[in-house]
mmCIF file with all atom_site columns, all heavy atoms in Angstrom:
data_model
loop_
_atom_site.group_PDB
_atom_site.id
_atom_site.type_symbol
_atom_site.label_atom_id
_atom_site.label_alt_id
_atom_site.label_comp_id
_atom_site.label_asym_id
_atom_site.label_entity_id
_atom_site.label_seq_id
_atom_site.pdbx_PDB_ins_code
_atom_site.Cartn_x
_atom_site.Cartn_y
_atom_site.Cartn_z
_atom_site.occupancy
_atom_site.B_iso_or_equiv
_atom_site.pdbx_formal_charge
_atom_site.auth_seq_id
_atom_site.auth_comp_id
_atom_site.auth_asym_id
_atom_site.auth_atom_id
_atom_site.pdbx_PDB_model_num
ATOM 1  N N   . GLU A 1 170 ? 18.802 -7.190  2.529  1.00 0.00 ? 198 GLU A N   1
ATOM 2  C CA  . GLU A 1 170 ? 19.120 -8.502  2.165  1.00 0.00 ? 198 GLU A CA  1
ATOM 3  C C   . GLU A 1 170 ? 20.529 -8.986  2.154  1.00 0.00 ? 198 GLU A C   1
ATOM 4  O O   . GLU A 1 170 ? 20.853 -10.070 2.474  1.00 0.00 ? 198 GLU A O   1
ATOM 5  C CB  . GLU A 1 170 ? 18.365 -8.903  0.783  1.00 0.00 ? 198 GLU A CB  1
ATOM 6  C CG  . GLU A 1 170 ? 16.914 -8.883  0.839  1.00 0.00 ? 198 GLU A CG  1
ATOM 7  C CD  . GLU A 1 170 ? 16.168 -9.010  -0.438 1.00 0.00 ? 198 GLU A CD  1
ATOM 8  O OE1 . GLU A 1 170 ? 16.661 -8.267  -1.329 1.00 0.00 ? 198 GLU A OE1 1
ATOM 9  O OE2 . GLU A 1 170 ? 15.149 -9.697  -0.638 1.00 0.00 ? 198 GLU A OE2 1
ATOM 10 N N   . HIS A 1 171 ? 21.338 -7.906  1.967  1.00 0.00 ? 199 HIS A N   1
ATOM 11 C CA  . HIS A 1 171 ? 22.827 -8.289  1.907  1.00 0.00 ? 199 HIS A CA  1
ATOM 12 C C   . HIS A 1 171 ? 23.223 -8.760  3.362  1.00 0.00 ? 199 HIS A C   1
ATOM 13 O O   . HIS A 1 171 ? 24.313 -9.343  3.452  1.00 0.00 ? 199 HIS A O   1
ATOM 14 C CB  . HIS A 1 171 ? 23.683 -7.115  1.407  1.00 0.00 ? 199 HIS A CB  1
ATOM 15 C CG  . HIS A 1 171 ? 23.720 -5.752  2.316  1.00 0.00 ? 199 HIS A CG  1
ATOM 16 N ND1 . HIS A 1 171 ? 23.399 -4.674  1.697  1.00 0.00 ? 199 HIS A ND1 1
ATOM 17 C CD2 . HIS A 1 171 ? 23.934 -5.634  3.458  1.00 0.00 ? 199 HIS A CD2 1
ATOM 18 C CE1 . HIS A 1 171 ? 23.460 -3.647  2.672  1.00 0.00 ? 199 HIS A CE1 1
ATOM 19 N NE2 . HIS A 1 171 ? 23.809 -4.224  3.772  1.00 0.00 ? 199 HIS A NE2 1
ATOM 20 N N   . HIS B 2 63  ? 10.316 -15.720 -3.245 1.00 0.00 ? 77  HIS B N   1
ATOM 21 C CA  . HIS B 2 63  ? 9.827  -14.428 -3.108 1.00 0.00 ? 77  HIS B CA  1
ATOM 22 C C   . HIS B 2 63  ? 8.539  -14.080 -3.763 1.00 0.00 ? 77  HIS B C   1
ATOM 23 O O   . HIS B 2 63  ? 7.723  -13.432 -3.244 1.00 0.00 ? 77  HIS B O   1
ATOM 24 C CB  . HIS B 2 63  ? 11.157 -13.590 -3.642 1.00 0.00 ? 77  HIS B CB  1
ATOM 25 C CG  . HIS B 2 63  ? 12.299 -13.562 -2.845 1.00 0.00 ? 77  HIS B CG  1
ATOM 26 N ND1 . HIS B 2 63  ? 12.501 -12.772 -1.688 1.00 0.00 ? 77  HIS B ND1 1
ATOM 27 C CD2 . HIS B 2 63  ? 13.516 -14.301 -2.926 1.00 0.00 ? 77  HIS B CD2 1
ATOM 28 C CE1 . HIS B 2 63  ? 13.635 -12.894 -1.168 1.00 0.00 ? 77  HIS B CE1 1
ATOM 29 N NE2 . HIS B 2 63  ? 14.343 -13.857 -1.835 1.00 0.00 ? 77  HIS B NE2 1
ATOM 30 N N   . GLU B 2 199 ? 18.302 -6.815  -3.690 1.00 0.00 ? 213 GLU B N   1
ATOM 31 C CA  . GLU B 2 199 ? 19.598 -7.600  -3.626 1.00 0.00 ? 213 GLU B CA  1
ATOM 32 C C   . GLU B 2 199 ? 19.140 -9.139  -3.839 1.00 0.00 ? 213 GLU B C   1
ATOM 33 O O   . GLU B 2 199 ? 20.032 -9.858  -4.305 1.00 0.00 ? 213 GLU B O   1
ATOM 34 C CB  . GLU B 2 199 ? 20.216 -7.411  -2.205 1.00 0.00 ? 213 GLU B CB  1
ATOM 35 C CG  . GLU B 2 199 ? 20.910 -5.932  -2.224 1.00 0.00 ? 213 GLU B CG  1
ATOM 36 C CD  . GLU B 2 199 ? 21.280 -5.612  -0.843 1.00 0.00 ? 213 GLU B CD  1
ATOM 37 O OE1 . GLU B 2 199 ? 20.706 -6.001  0.152  1.00 0.00 ? 213 GLU B OE1 1
ATOM 38 O OE2 . GLU B 2 199 ? 22.452 -4.928  -0.730 1.00 0.00 ? 213 GLU B OE2 1
ATOM 39 N N   . HIS B 2 200 ? 17.991 -9.584  -3.533 1.00 0.00 ? 214 HIS B N   1
ATOM 40 C CA  . HIS B 2 200 ? 17.631 -10.982 -3.732 1.00 0.00 ? 214 HIS B CA  1
ATOM 41 C C   . HIS B 2 200 ? 17.655 -11.426 -5.259 1.00 0.00 ? 214 HIS B C   1
ATOM 42 O O   . HIS B 2 200 ? 17.900 -12.460 -5.573 1.00 0.00 ? 214 HIS B O   1
ATOM 43 C CB  . HIS B 2 200 ? 16.391 -11.421 -3.023 1.00 0.00 ? 214 HIS B CB  1
ATOM 44 C CG  . HIS B 2 200 ? 15.157 -10.774 -3.671 1.00 0.00 ? 214 HIS B CG  1
ATOM 45 N ND1 . HIS B 2 200 ? 14.060 -10.081 -2.905 1.00 0.00 ? 214 HIS B ND1 1
ATOM 46 C CD2 . HIS B 2 200 ? 14.649 -10.719 -4.843 1.00 0.00 ? 214 HIS B CD2 1
ATOM 47 C CE1 . HIS B 2 200 ? 13.036 -9.675  -3.736 1.00 0.00 ? 214 HIS B CE1 1
ATOM 48 N NE2 . HIS B 2 200 ? 13.460 -10.040 -4.913 1.00 0.00 ? 214 HIS B NE2 1
#
Side-chain angles (χ1 to χ4, degrees):
Chain A
E198 288 171 323
H199 65 232
Chain B
H77 291 278
E213 288 171 323
H214 66 232

